[in-house]
Amino acid sequence: MIIEGFYQPAGRAAREAARLFLDDDQRLTLDAPPAIQVFSLRDIEVSDALGSIPLFLTFPDESRFVPADDSAFRRWLRQHRRPGWIYRMESHKRGVLLTLAATCVLVAFYIWGVLPWVSNVIAQRIPATIEQNLGHHTLTLLRASDFQDSTLPEEKQKALQQLFQQVTPPSLRHDRTPVRLKLMNIPDVANAFMLADGTLILSDKLVTLSPGDDALAGVMLHEMGHHAYRHPMRMIVRSSLVSLTLLWMTGDVSGIGDTLLQTASLANELQFSRGMEREADDWAIVEMKREGRSLEKMAEIYRRLSAEAQNEKANEYLPDWLSTHPAMTSRLEHIRKAERE
Protein backbone atom coordinates (compact mmCIF):
# COMPACT_ATOMS: atom_id res chain seq x y z
CA MET A 1 0.00 0.00 0.00
CA ILE A 2 1.25 3.47 -0.91
CA ILE A 3 0.24 6.43 1.24
CA GLU A 4 0.86 9.95 0.05
CA GLY A 5 1.57 12.58 2.69
CA PHE A 6 3.85 15.26 4.07
CA TYR A 7 7.28 14.77 5.60
CA GLN A 8 8.74 17.15 8.22
CA PRO A 9 12.48 16.72 8.90
CA ALA A 10 13.63 16.85 12.51
CA GLY A 11 14.18 20.37 13.83
CA ARG A 12 12.52 22.06 10.85
CA ALA A 13 9.09 23.70 10.52
CA ALA A 14 8.86 23.31 6.74
CA ARG A 15 7.33 20.17 5.31
CA GLU A 16 7.51 18.52 1.91
CA ALA A 17 5.57 15.98 -0.12
CA ALA A 18 6.57 12.34 0.46
CA ARG A 19 5.32 8.78 0.08
CA LEU A 20 5.13 5.91 2.51
CA PHE A 21 5.14 2.27 1.33
CA LEU A 22 3.38 -0.07 3.77
CA ASP A 23 4.14 -3.82 3.68
CA ASP A 24 2.21 -6.66 5.30
CA ASP A 25 5.32 -7.63 7.30
CA GLN A 26 5.10 -4.34 9.29
CA ARG A 27 7.86 -2.71 7.29
CA LEU A 28 7.51 0.93 6.24
CA THR A 29 9.57 2.53 3.45
CA LEU A 30 9.71 6.32 3.47
CA ASP A 31 10.40 7.97 0.11
CA ALA A 32 11.38 11.51 1.08
CA PRO A 33 14.16 13.15 -0.95
CA PRO A 34 17.06 13.01 -0.86
CA ALA A 35 16.98 9.44 0.55
CA ILE A 36 14.76 6.40 0.92
CA GLN A 37 14.58 5.01 4.47
CA VAL A 38 13.21 1.71 5.74
CA PHE A 39 11.71 1.30 9.21
CA SER A 40 10.01 -1.36 11.27
CA LEU A 41 6.60 -0.51 12.72
CA ARG A 42 7.81 -1.24 16.26
CA ASP A 43 10.47 1.48 15.87
CA ILE A 44 7.94 4.15 14.90
CA GLU A 45 5.74 6.12 17.31
CA VAL A 46 2.21 6.72 16.08
CA SER A 47 0.09 9.43 17.73
CA ASP A 48 -2.99 8.42 19.71
CA ALA A 49 -6.22 8.15 17.74
CA LEU A 50 -8.36 10.98 19.10
CA GLY A 51 -11.60 11.39 17.15
CA SER A 52 -10.99 12.71 13.64
CA ILE A 53 -7.62 14.31 14.42
CA PRO A 54 -5.17 13.05 11.74
CA LEU A 55 -2.53 10.62 12.91
CA PHE A 56 1.15 11.36 12.46
CA LEU A 57 4.20 9.12 12.59
CA THR A 58 7.37 10.02 14.49
CA PHE A 59 10.55 8.29 13.33
CA PRO A 60 13.59 7.49 15.51
CA ASP A 61 15.35 10.70 14.40
CA GLU A 62 12.30 12.80 15.54
CA SER A 63 11.22 13.53 11.95
CA ARG A 64 7.50 13.23 11.18
CA PHE A 65 5.16 12.02 8.46
CA VAL A 66 1.47 12.97 8.17
CA PRO A 67 -0.61 10.70 5.88
CA ALA A 68 -2.86 12.54 3.42
CA ASP A 69 -5.32 9.62 3.46
CA ASP A 70 -5.78 9.27 7.20
CA SER A 71 -8.57 6.68 7.04
CA ALA A 72 -6.54 4.33 4.80
CA PHE A 73 -3.55 4.50 7.14
CA ARG A 74 -5.81 3.86 10.14
CA ARG A 75 -7.19 0.71 8.53
CA TRP A 76 -3.69 -0.60 7.82
CA LEU A 77 -2.51 0.28 11.33
CA ARG A 78 -5.44 -1.54 13.02
CA GLN A 79 -4.47 -4.67 11.10
CA HIS A 80 -0.88 -4.57 12.30
CA ARG A 81 -0.97 -2.94 15.74
CA ARG A 82 -3.42 -3.16 18.60
CA PRO A 83 -5.08 0.23 19.24
CA GLY A 84 -4.08 2.08 22.39
CA TRP A 85 -6.30 2.25 25.46
CA ILE A 86 -7.31 5.86 24.66
CA TYR A 87 -8.72 4.76 21.30
CA ARG A 88 -10.46 1.78 22.86
CA MET A 89 -12.04 3.95 25.54
CA GLU A 90 -13.11 6.55 23.00
CA SER A 91 -14.67 3.89 20.76
CA HIS A 92 -17.15 2.75 23.43
CA LYS A 93 -19.88 4.97 24.88
CA ARG A 94 -19.65 3.20 28.22
CA GLY A 95 -15.96 3.93 28.39
CA VAL A 96 -16.55 7.59 27.56
CA LEU A 97 -19.22 7.87 30.28
CA LEU A 98 -17.03 6.11 32.84
CA THR A 99 -14.08 8.37 32.00
CA LEU A 100 -16.27 11.48 32.28
CA ALA A 101 -17.66 10.34 35.63
CA ALA A 102 -14.19 9.54 36.94
CA THR A 103 -12.93 12.95 35.82
CA CYS A 104 -15.78 14.71 37.62
CA VAL A 105 -15.07 12.73 40.80
CA LEU A 106 -11.36 13.53 40.64
CA VAL A 107 -12.01 17.24 40.05
CA ALA A 108 -14.47 17.38 42.95
CA PHE A 109 -12.04 15.52 45.21
CA TYR A 110 -9.24 17.90 44.24
CA ILE A 111 -11.32 21.04 44.87
CA TRP A 112 -13.06 20.00 48.10
CA GLY A 113 -10.56 17.51 49.46
CA VAL A 114 -6.99 18.07 48.30
CA LEU A 115 -6.97 21.87 47.99
CA PRO A 116 -8.29 22.65 51.51
CA TRP A 117 -5.99 20.11 53.14
CA VAL A 118 -2.86 21.09 51.23
CA SER A 119 -3.47 24.84 51.63
CA ASN A 120 -3.98 24.40 55.38
CA VAL A 121 -0.80 22.33 55.77
CA ILE A 122 1.29 24.81 53.77
CA ALA A 123 -0.22 27.89 55.49
CA GLN A 124 0.53 26.50 58.96
CA ARG A 125 4.18 25.98 58.00
CA ILE A 126 4.89 29.31 56.32
CA PRO A 127 7.59 31.18 58.29
CA ALA A 128 6.46 34.10 60.43
CA THR A 129 8.78 36.45 58.53
CA ILE A 130 6.77 35.88 55.34
CA GLU A 131 3.50 36.61 57.16
CA GLN A 132 5.00 39.77 58.63
CA ASN A 133 6.27 40.95 55.25
CA LEU A 134 2.89 40.33 53.63
CA GLY A 135 1.10 42.24 56.36
CA HIS A 136 3.58 45.12 56.17
CA HIS A 137 3.23 45.48 52.40
CA THR A 138 -0.57 45.24 52.61
CA LEU A 139 -0.68 48.00 55.21
CA THR A 140 1.57 50.14 53.00
CA LEU A 141 -0.85 49.69 50.10
CA LEU A 142 -3.80 50.59 52.33
CA ARG A 143 -2.10 53.79 53.44
CA ALA A 144 -1.46 54.67 49.82
CA SER A 145 -5.21 54.52 49.17
CA ASP A 146 -7.97 56.12 51.28
CA PHE A 147 -6.98 54.50 54.57
CA GLN A 148 -5.87 57.10 57.12
CA ASP A 149 -4.98 57.19 60.81
CA SER A 150 -7.93 57.08 63.19
CA THR A 151 -9.63 60.35 64.06
CA LEU A 152 -11.31 58.97 67.19
CA PRO A 153 -10.61 60.80 70.49
CA GLU A 154 -7.43 59.68 72.22
CA GLU A 155 -9.34 58.32 75.22
CA LYS A 156 -11.58 56.24 72.97
CA GLN A 157 -8.59 54.78 71.17
CA LYS A 158 -6.97 53.83 74.48
CA ALA A 159 -10.22 52.21 75.63
CA LEU A 160 -10.41 50.18 72.42
CA GLN A 161 -6.80 49.01 72.80
CA GLN A 162 -7.58 47.97 76.37
CA LEU A 163 -10.69 46.08 75.23
CA PHE A 164 -8.61 44.38 72.56
CA GLN A 165 -6.09 43.18 75.14
CA GLN A 166 -8.90 41.92 77.38
CA VAL A 167 -10.60 39.81 74.70
CA THR A 168 -7.40 38.42 73.14
CA PRO A 169 -7.12 34.73 74.14
CA PRO A 170 -3.81 33.61 75.68
CA SER A 171 -3.11 31.39 72.68
CA LEU A 172 -2.95 34.38 70.34
CA ARG A 173 -0.85 36.46 72.73
CA HIS A 174 1.94 33.91 72.37
CA ASP A 175 1.37 33.16 68.67
CA ARG A 176 4.35 33.27 66.32
CA THR A 177 2.72 36.40 64.84
CA PRO A 178 0.82 37.96 67.79
CA VAL A 179 -2.32 39.93 66.98
CA ARG A 180 -2.45 43.70 67.32
CA LEU A 181 -5.13 46.33 66.78
CA LYS A 182 -4.79 49.13 64.22
CA LEU A 183 -7.52 51.80 64.22
CA MET A 184 -7.97 53.52 60.88
CA ASN A 185 -10.32 56.04 59.35
CA ILE A 186 -11.82 54.60 56.16
CA PRO A 187 -14.21 57.13 54.58
CA ASP A 188 -17.82 55.92 54.65
CA VAL A 189 -16.81 52.31 55.41
CA ALA A 190 -17.79 50.31 58.50
CA ASN A 191 -15.54 47.29 58.36
CA ALA A 192 -12.90 45.18 60.09
CA PHE A 193 -10.44 42.73 58.60
CA MET A 194 -7.33 40.77 59.51
CA LEU A 195 -3.99 41.03 57.70
CA ALA A 196 -1.63 38.09 57.29
CA ASP A 197 0.71 39.32 60.05
CA GLY A 198 -2.06 39.45 62.69
CA THR A 199 -2.87 43.16 62.32
CA LEU A 200 -6.59 43.74 62.89
CA ILE A 201 -7.81 46.80 60.99
CA LEU A 202 -10.85 48.39 62.66
CA SER A 203 -12.55 51.37 61.01
CA ASP A 204 -13.75 54.42 62.91
CA LYS A 205 -17.21 54.11 61.43
CA LEU A 206 -17.61 50.55 62.72
CA VAL A 207 -16.69 51.76 66.22
CA THR A 208 -19.31 54.51 65.93
CA LEU A 209 -21.87 51.99 64.70
CA SER A 210 -21.30 49.58 67.60
CA PRO A 211 -23.92 49.36 70.39
CA GLY A 212 -21.30 48.57 73.04
CA ASP A 213 -18.10 46.80 74.07
CA ASP A 214 -19.53 43.30 73.72
CA ALA A 215 -20.46 44.03 70.11
CA LEU A 216 -16.93 45.24 69.34
CA ALA A 217 -15.53 42.23 71.21
CA GLY A 218 -17.54 39.97 68.89
CA VAL A 219 -16.10 41.68 65.82
CA MET A 220 -12.57 41.53 67.22
CA LEU A 221 -12.85 37.85 68.11
CA HIS A 222 -14.32 37.05 64.70
CA GLU A 223 -11.27 38.57 63.02
CA MET A 224 -8.96 36.84 65.52
CA GLY A 225 -10.59 33.60 64.42
CA HIS A 226 -9.38 34.30 60.89
CA HIS A 227 -5.85 34.64 62.23
CA ALA A 228 -6.10 31.56 64.45
CA TYR A 229 -7.07 29.45 61.43
CA ARG A 230 -4.52 31.26 59.21
CA HIS A 231 -7.32 32.11 56.77
CA PRO A 232 -5.46 34.93 54.96
CA MET A 233 -2.48 32.66 54.23
CA ARG A 234 -4.72 29.73 53.33
CA MET A 235 -6.56 31.86 50.77
CA ILE A 236 -3.27 33.03 49.24
CA VAL A 237 -1.93 29.48 49.07
CA ARG A 238 -5.16 28.04 47.72
CA SER A 239 -5.52 30.70 45.03
CA SER A 240 -1.90 30.08 44.03
CA LEU A 241 -2.52 26.34 43.78
CA VAL A 242 -5.58 26.92 41.57
CA SER A 243 -3.52 29.18 39.31
CA LEU A 244 -0.66 26.67 39.10
CA THR A 245 -3.10 23.85 38.35
CA LEU A 246 -4.69 25.75 35.47
CA LEU A 247 -1.27 26.75 34.18
CA TRP A 248 -0.29 23.08 34.17
CA MET A 249 -3.50 22.08 32.39
CA THR A 250 -3.59 24.85 29.76
CA GLY A 251 0.11 25.45 29.26
CA ASP A 252 -0.26 29.24 29.31
CA VAL A 253 -2.59 32.01 30.46
CA SER A 254 -3.10 33.81 27.17
CA GLY A 255 -6.50 34.15 25.53
CA ILE A 256 -9.03 31.63 26.79
CA GLY A 257 -6.53 30.31 29.30
CA ASP A 258 -6.42 33.69 31.02
CA THR A 259 -10.22 33.84 31.14
CA LEU A 260 -10.45 30.35 32.61
CA LEU A 261 -7.77 31.21 35.15
CA GLN A 262 -9.59 34.31 36.38
CA THR A 263 -12.98 32.57 36.47
CA ALA A 264 -11.72 29.52 38.35
CA SER A 265 -9.76 31.65 40.83
CA LEU A 266 -12.83 33.81 41.50
CA ALA A 267 -15.09 30.79 42.05
CA ASN A 268 -12.47 29.25 44.34
CA GLU A 269 -12.11 32.42 46.45
CA LEU A 270 -15.90 32.88 46.80
CA GLN A 271 -16.41 29.36 48.10
CA PHE A 272 -13.43 29.49 50.40
CA SER A 273 -14.43 32.86 51.90
CA ARG A 274 -17.82 31.50 52.97
CA GLY A 275 -16.13 28.62 54.74
CA MET A 276 -13.69 30.96 56.47
CA GLU A 277 -16.48 33.22 57.73
CA ARG A 278 -18.34 30.25 59.23
CA GLU A 279 -15.18 29.03 60.97
CA ALA A 280 -14.42 32.51 62.33
CA ASP A 281 -17.99 32.90 63.60
CA ASP A 282 -17.81 29.60 65.48
CA TRP A 283 -14.41 30.52 66.95
CA ALA A 284 -15.72 33.91 68.12
CA ILE A 285 -18.86 32.36 69.65
CA VAL A 286 -16.77 29.96 71.74
CA GLU A 287 -14.53 32.79 72.98
CA MET A 288 -17.50 35.11 73.68
CA LYS A 289 -19.08 32.41 75.82
CA ARG A 290 -15.80 31.74 77.61
CA GLU A 291 -15.51 35.43 78.51
CA GLY A 292 -19.18 35.68 79.50
CA ARG A 293 -20.03 38.28 76.86
CA SER A 294 -23.39 38.87 75.18
CA LEU A 295 -23.94 37.07 71.89
CA GLU A 296 -27.01 39.24 71.35
CA LYS A 297 -24.73 42.28 71.09
CA MET A 298 -22.64 40.40 68.54
CA ALA A 299 -25.77 39.67 66.52
CA GLU A 300 -26.85 43.29 66.82
CA ILE A 301 -23.69 44.69 65.27
CA TYR A 302 -23.97 42.11 62.48
CA ARG A 303 -27.47 43.44 61.79
CA ARG A 304 -26.23 47.01 61.75
CA LEU A 305 -23.34 46.15 59.42
CA SER A 306 -25.77 44.40 57.13
CA ALA A 307 -28.01 47.47 57.03
CA GLU A 308 -25.00 49.71 56.34
CA ALA A 309 -23.95 47.77 53.26
CA GLN A 310 -25.00 49.77 50.23
CA ASN A 311 -25.61 46.71 48.09
CA GLU A 312 -27.40 44.69 50.74
CA LYS A 313 -30.75 45.05 48.98
CA ALA A 314 -29.29 43.67 45.75
CA ASN A 315 -27.50 40.86 47.55
CA GLU A 316 -30.80 39.58 48.95
CA TYR A 317 -31.53 38.27 45.45
CA LEU A 318 -28.18 36.59 44.97
CA PRO A 319 -27.81 32.84 45.57
CA ASP A 320 -25.67 31.86 48.56
CA TRP A 321 -22.91 30.38 46.40
CA LEU A 322 -22.43 33.75 44.65
CA SER A 323 -21.75 35.62 47.89
CA THR A 324 -18.37 35.77 49.62
CA HIS A 325 -20.08 35.59 53.02
CA PRO A 326 -22.82 33.25 54.21
CA ALA A 327 -26.31 34.77 54.11
CA MET A 328 -26.59 37.18 57.03
CA THR A 329 -29.92 35.69 58.15
CA SER A 330 -28.30 32.25 58.55
CA ARG A 331 -25.36 33.77 60.47
CA LEU A 332 -27.69 35.61 62.85
CA GLU A 333 -29.75 32.48 63.40
CA HIS A 334 -26.56 30.54 64.13
CA ILE A 335 -25.56 33.11 66.80
CA ARG A 336 -29.02 33.07 68.38
CA LYS A 337 -28.97 29.28 68.48
CA ALA A 338 -25.56 29.36 70.20
CA GLU A 339 -26.88 31.87 72.73
CA ARG A 340 -29.87 29.64 73.55
CA GLU A 341 -27.57 26.69 74.08
Side-chain angles (χ1 to χ4, degrees):
M1 178 184 295
I2 301 176
I3 298 290
E4 302 287 340
F6 299 95
Y7 176 72
Q8 182 180 7
R12 292 176 54 187
R15 62 179 188 172
E16 54 193 39
R19 292 188 298 175
L20 192 66
F21 297 88
L22 308 176
D23 297 336
D24 291 336
D25 59 355
Q26 300 188 15
R27 187 175 61 180
L28 298 86
T29 303
L30 176 64
D31 183 6
I36 296 177
Q37 304 177 68
V38 180
F39 303 94
S40 174
L41 181 59
R42 64 175 176 271
D43 298 328
I44 296 176
E45 181 181 345
V46 181
S47 62
D48 292 321
L50 299 174
S52 59
I53 298 177
L55 300 178
F56 61 86
L57 294 76
T58 303
F59 300 102
D61 63 351
E62 300 301 323
S63 60
R64 290 185 174 186
F65 179 83
V66 181
D69 190 348
D70 184 69
S71 58
F73 178 74
R74 286 175 184 252
R75 288 194 297 269
W76 180 87
L77 184 64
R78 283 196 294 268
Q79 295 174 359
H80 296 85
R81 176 184 286 182
R82 185 182 181 186
W85 68 271
I86 294 180
Y87 174 80
R88 296 197 299 272
M89 291 287 288
E90 189 186 48
S91 302
H92 298 84
K93 290 184 178 179
R94 182 178 296 179
V96 172
L97 293 175
L98 288 175
T99 303
L100 180 60
T103 301
C104 292
V105 171
L106 287 175
V107 170
F109 176 70
Y110 179 74
I111 293 175
W112 286 288
V114 175
L115 273 181
W117 180 78
V118 172
S119 62
N120 183 45
V121 170
I122 295 176
Q124 296 292 343
R125 286 164 174 75
I126 289 179
T129 53
I130 295 179
E131 294 180 328
Q132 292 167 358
N133 288 333
L134 284 172
H136 174 73
H137 289 302
T138 304
L139 188 59
T140 301
L141 290 174
L142 294 178
R143 289 187 178 279
S145 58
D146 292 334
F147 287 65
Q148 303 168 0
D149 289 334
S150 175
T151 58
L152 293 173
E154 190 67 25
E155 292 184 0
K156 183 63 174 178
Q157 294 189 39
K158 290 181 179 179
L160 290 170
Q161 291 290 350
Q162 185 177 5
L163 175 64
F164 181 79
Q165 294 298 325
Q166 290 174 357
V167 301
T168 302
S171 59
L172 291 185
R173 293 197 185 100
H174 305 290
D175 193 85
R176 66 174 187 262
T177 50
V179 292
R180 66 188 183 97
L181 177 63
K182 180 66 178 177
L183 299 169
M184 302 195 77
N185 181 26
I186 313 171
D188 300 323
V189 175
N191 202 355
F193 52 90
M194 181 67 71
L195 303 185
D197 65 343
T199 301
L200 195 167
I201 305 295
L202 191 65
S203 72
D204 289 356
K205 189 171 183 179
L206 189 146
V207 175
T208 305
L209 194 69
S210 173
D213 285 354
D214 282 359
L216 286 174
V219 173
M220 292 177 179
L221 287 168
H222 172 88
E223 298 305 326
M224 290 180 194
H226 286 310
H227 187 66
Y229 287 113
R230 288 303 189 273
H231 287 156
M233 293 306 305
R234 285 166 62 181
M235 175 169 279
I236 293 172
V237 172
R238 185 167 178 175
S239 297
S240 300
L241 289 175
V242 170
S243 300
L244 291 173
T245 301
L246 285 173
L247 283 170
W248 174 72
M249 293 175 62
T250 62
D252 60 49
V253 292
S254 60
I256 188 64
D258 188 35
T259 302
L260 289 173
L261 180 62
Q262 295 179 16
T263 303
S265 295
L266 173 62
N268 164 72
E269 289 177 7
L270 290 176
Q271 189 275 335
F272 193 48
S273 293
R274 294 198 306 274
M276 289 194 304
E277 296 299 334
R278 293 189 183 100
E279 280 188 327
D281 276 344
D282 290 338
W283 195 91
I285 288 171
V286 171
E287 291 300 323
M288 289 283 284
K289 285 185 173 183
R290 184 180 65 83
E291 298 179 11
R293 296 186 180 273
S294 171
L295 291 179
E296 178 56 36
K297 293 296 183 181
M298 180 179 176
E300 175 62 24
I301 196 169
Y302 277 19
R303 282 193 293 267
R304 295 189 182 188
L305 287 171
S306 177
E308 277 290 312
Q310 296 179 357
N311 61 347
E312 178 64 22
K313 192 170 183 179
N315 284 342
E316 288 293 330
Y317 301 97
L318 293 177
D320 184 58
W321 63 268
L322 199 56
S323 171
T324 57
H325 290 62
M328 185 56 71
T329 53
S330 65
R331 296 178 70 184
L332 292 174
E333 179 58 32
H334 183 58
I335 295 174
R336 293 192 191 98
K337 182 180 178 182
E339 186 176 27
R340 290 193 299 268
E341 293 174 351

